[in-house]
């Protein structure tokens, strides 16, 4: 199996080791260096080109060269996911993360809305484009102290706790003047099982299961338990209901691979606070469990080895007369429809293949 790694930075050694240990190969590309090409012909190929600055001229990447995509997109995510979407939907290469899923996870408000719609418990949240009534918003968010979160950001960045009316008013006024949207979230008092400092939980979801989890404890004087903020972690096992909650949250946002953050409240409830589409590797060091090994095994079950992944309408580059084009298009569409229908019946249809099947159903009238 050959994997296409879409990374905006250096790929983790844990990821590359998991791939090579499984006997697979990979090709690394920064999505910011790729050119997408959209054909003007209704039955033509869309394409992708490697435009790395080291090349004298861009070279074409062929979809049939790859069995699946692993995305590790950090910087410039809203733009880079357009490349992933092109590879998924236009070139029909499978990946356990979709462009929409990564966008939802990237936006903390969108995540909260999606989780609530999917009946996943998430902390009480209040948002307005213009927070003209700060006291009203804070009251609806459960009163002080309240957590203010910028809509994007990772590793605890852009998260503040507002504990006094003065702090709340000045902070919200500053955000408003700087045109920085924030959401207010009820401050959930975490059950501190490993000490007196605030804790939360990071769980890694791959497919239908949680493959590893750790409890993070904030450093002295901080309420954020992120390892990047000086927190420490220990390996834990989630309850069955908590594991189910994590899987449901990951699927709700459209990801088959994600980091899900939980808070256990002192009163006994557990809440999903965030879903991370590009989870860090600190949990690997804490738990000793390389979750990328589970990810590669999961991809093996979703992408068939040594099988060319064709587009819904695979036509050669050279022009043909209109009649031949129509016949080839219809034959290819029916063949691809039958292949995907068989996978749907066997329960092995991926998210991306499901979208293609729906398109073909409309196209050929099935």
């Amino acid at each position: 199996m050959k994997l296409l790694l879409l990374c905006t930075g250096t790929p983790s050694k844990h990821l590359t080791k998991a791939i090579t240990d499984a006997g697979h190969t990979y090709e690394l590309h920064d999505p910011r260096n790729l050119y997408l090409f959209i054909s003007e012909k209704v039955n033509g190929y869309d394409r992708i080109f490697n435009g790395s600055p080291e090349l004298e001229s861009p070279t074409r990447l062929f979809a049939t060269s790859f069995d699946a995509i692993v995305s590790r997109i950090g910087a410039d995510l809203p733009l880079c996911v357009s490349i992933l979407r092109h590879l998924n939907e236009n070139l029909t290469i499978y990946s356990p993360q979709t462009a929409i899923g990564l966008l939802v996870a990237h936006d903390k408000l969108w995540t909260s809305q999606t989780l609530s719609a999917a009946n996943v418990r998430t902390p009480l949240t209040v948002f307005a484009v213009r927070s003209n009534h700060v006291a009203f918003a804070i009251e609806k968010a459960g009163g002080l102290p309240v957590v203010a979160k910028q809509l994007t950001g990772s590793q605890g960045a852009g998260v503040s706790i507002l504990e006094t009316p003065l702090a709340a008013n000045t902070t919200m006024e500053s955000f408003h003047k700087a045109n920085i949207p924030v959401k207010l979230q009820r401050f959930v008092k975490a059950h501190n099982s490993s000490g007196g400092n605030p804790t939360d939980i990071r769980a890694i979801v791959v497919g239908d299961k949680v493959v590893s989890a750790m409890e993070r404890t904030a450093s002295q004087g901080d309420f954020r338990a992120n390892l990047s903020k000086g927190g420490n972690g220990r390996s834990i096992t989630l309850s069955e209901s908590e594991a189910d909650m994590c899987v449901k949250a990951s699927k709700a946002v459209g990801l088959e691979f994600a980091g899900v953050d939980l808070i256990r409240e002192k009163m006994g409830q557990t809440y999903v606070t965030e879903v991370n589409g590009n989870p860090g590797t600190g949990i690997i060091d804490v738990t000793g469990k390389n979750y990328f090994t589970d990810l590669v095994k999961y991809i093996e079950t979703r992408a068939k080895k040594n099988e060319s992944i064709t587009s819904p309408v695979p036509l050669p580059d050279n022009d043909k007369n209109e009649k031949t084009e129509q016949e080839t298009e219809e034959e290819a569409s029916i063949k691809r429809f039958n292949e995907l229908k068989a996978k749907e019946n066997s329960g092995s249809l991926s998210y991306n293949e499901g979208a293609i099947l729906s398109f073909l159903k409309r196209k050929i009238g099935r």
Side-chain angles (χ1 to χ4, degrees):
M1 187 168 69
K2 185 175 182 180
L3 299 177
L4 170 58
L5 304 189
L6 284 185
C7 302
T8 52
T10 302
S12 166
K13 62 181 180 181
H14 299 293
L15 171 57
T16 56
K17 185 176 187 299
I19 295 171
T20 55
D21 283 355
H24 305 309
T25 60
Y26 65 90
E27 192 170 314
L28 174 64
H29 289 282
D30 187 327
R32 294 169 294 188
N33 291 333
L34 298 181
Y35 294 90
L36 66 81
F37 173 90
I38 299 173
S39 174
E40 64 182 14
K41 297 181 180 180
V42 295
N43 53 5
Y45 278 129
D46 289 341
R47 302 185 178 102
I48 199 87
F49 293 86
N50 176 15
S52 174
E54 289 80 18
L55 298 176
E56 185 175 341
S57 62
T59 59
R60 184 177 172 187
L61 300 179
F62 290 88
T64 52
S65 299
F66 304 102
D67 296 281
I69 302 165
V70 176
S71 56
R72 296 289 287 171
I73 302 173
D76 301 319
L77 185 137
L79 295 174
C80 289
V81 293
S82 62
I83 298 296
L84 178 62
R85 185 171 188 174
H86 191 71
L87 290 164
N88 285 161
E89 300 179 14
N90 297 57
L91 303 185
T92 66
I93 309 175
Y94 165 76
S95 70
Q97 296 183 314
T98 64
I100 293 297
L102 290 175
L103 286 174
V104 174
H106 180 68
D107 187 317
K108 291 182 173 64
L109 178 61
W110 197 354
T111 298
S112 295
Q113 290 174 300
T114 302
L115 293 176
S116 181
N119 298 320
V120 177
R121 188 182 294 111
T122 189
L124 177 64
T125 299
V126 176
F127 171 78
V129 177
R130 294 178 178 174
S131 296
N132 297 317
H133 305 87
V134 175
F136 171 85
I138 290 175
E139 178 190 356
K140 290 301 180 184
L144 297 174
V146 67
V147 177
K149 291 185 178 182
Q150 295 181 33
L151 302 191
T152 60
S154 60
Q155 300 181 337
V159 181
S160 308
I161 184 168
L162 310 180
E163 299 183 278
T164 67
L166 178 60
N169 283 315
T170 55
T171 300
M172 295 300 291
E173 182 180 358
S174 297
F175 282 133
H176 182 72
K177 287 183 176 180
N179 291 318
I180 299 175
V182 295
K183 70 175 186 178
L184 296 180
Q185 206 164 58
R186 181 174 74 85
F187 178 67
V188 178
K189 296 180 180 179
H191 172 66
N192 302 327
S193 60
S194 62
N197 294 336
T199 63
D200 71 1
I201 294 168
R202 162 61 59 88
I204 300 296
V205 174
V206 176
D208 293 323
K209 64 180 182 178
V210 171
V211 299
S212 63
M214 69 173 174
E215 181 187 70
R216 303 181 297 193
T217 302
S219 60
Q220 192 66 36
D222 200 341
F223 76 101
R224 297 165 298 181
N226 305 72
L227 298 184
S228 60
K229 296 298 180 183
N232 59 76
R234 68 183 183 95
S235 180
I236 63 169
T237 300
L238 300 184
S239 68
E240 184 176 345
S241 62
E242 288 173 335
D244 289 343
M245 179 183 291
C246 290
V247 172
K248 189 175 181 180
S250 181
K251 288 186 174 182
V253 302
L255 300 175
E256 297 171 81
F257 162 58
V260 179
D261 293 346
L262 305 174
I263 286 186
R264 290 170 174 164
E265 193 171 29
K266 285 185 175 181
M267 301 304 293
Q269 297 280 27
T270 300
Y271 299 83
V272 175
T273 56
E274 293 184 18
V275 179
N276 195 314
N278 190 32
T281 57
I283 189 173
I284 297 176
D285 299 324
V286 170
T287 64
K289 171 77 169 177
N290 185 358
Y291 60 74
F292 288 117
T293 299
D294 298 273
L295 178 61
V296 171
K297 289 180 180 178
Y298 179 75
I299 291 173
E300 288 174 345
T301 68
R302 305 295 283 175
K304 292 184 178 179
K305 299 179 183 178
N306 302 319
E307 179 180 317
S308 297
I309 304 175
T310 58
S311 62
V313 187
L315 287 178
D317 290 343
N318 58 303
D319 292 332
K320 294 186 175 183
N321 62 57
E322 184 178 83
K323 181 178 180 181
T324 303
E325 286 182 336
Q326 291 173 347
E327 290 174 349
T328 306
E329 177 181 345
E330 183 178 2
E331 292 170 0
S333 297
I334 293 174
K335 179 180 178 181
R336 184 63 169 152
F337 172 83
N338 291 333
E339 290 173 350
L340 295 178
K341 191 65 179 176
K343 294 187 73 172
E344 181 184 47
N345 293 336
S346 67
S348 62
L349 192 71
S350 72
Y351 179 88
N352 297 325
E353 290 171 330
I356 296 170
L357 180 59
S358 298
F359 166 77
L360 292 175
K361 284 180 181 177
R362 296 191 299 270
K363 183 178 181 63
I364 64 178
R366 294 294 179 91

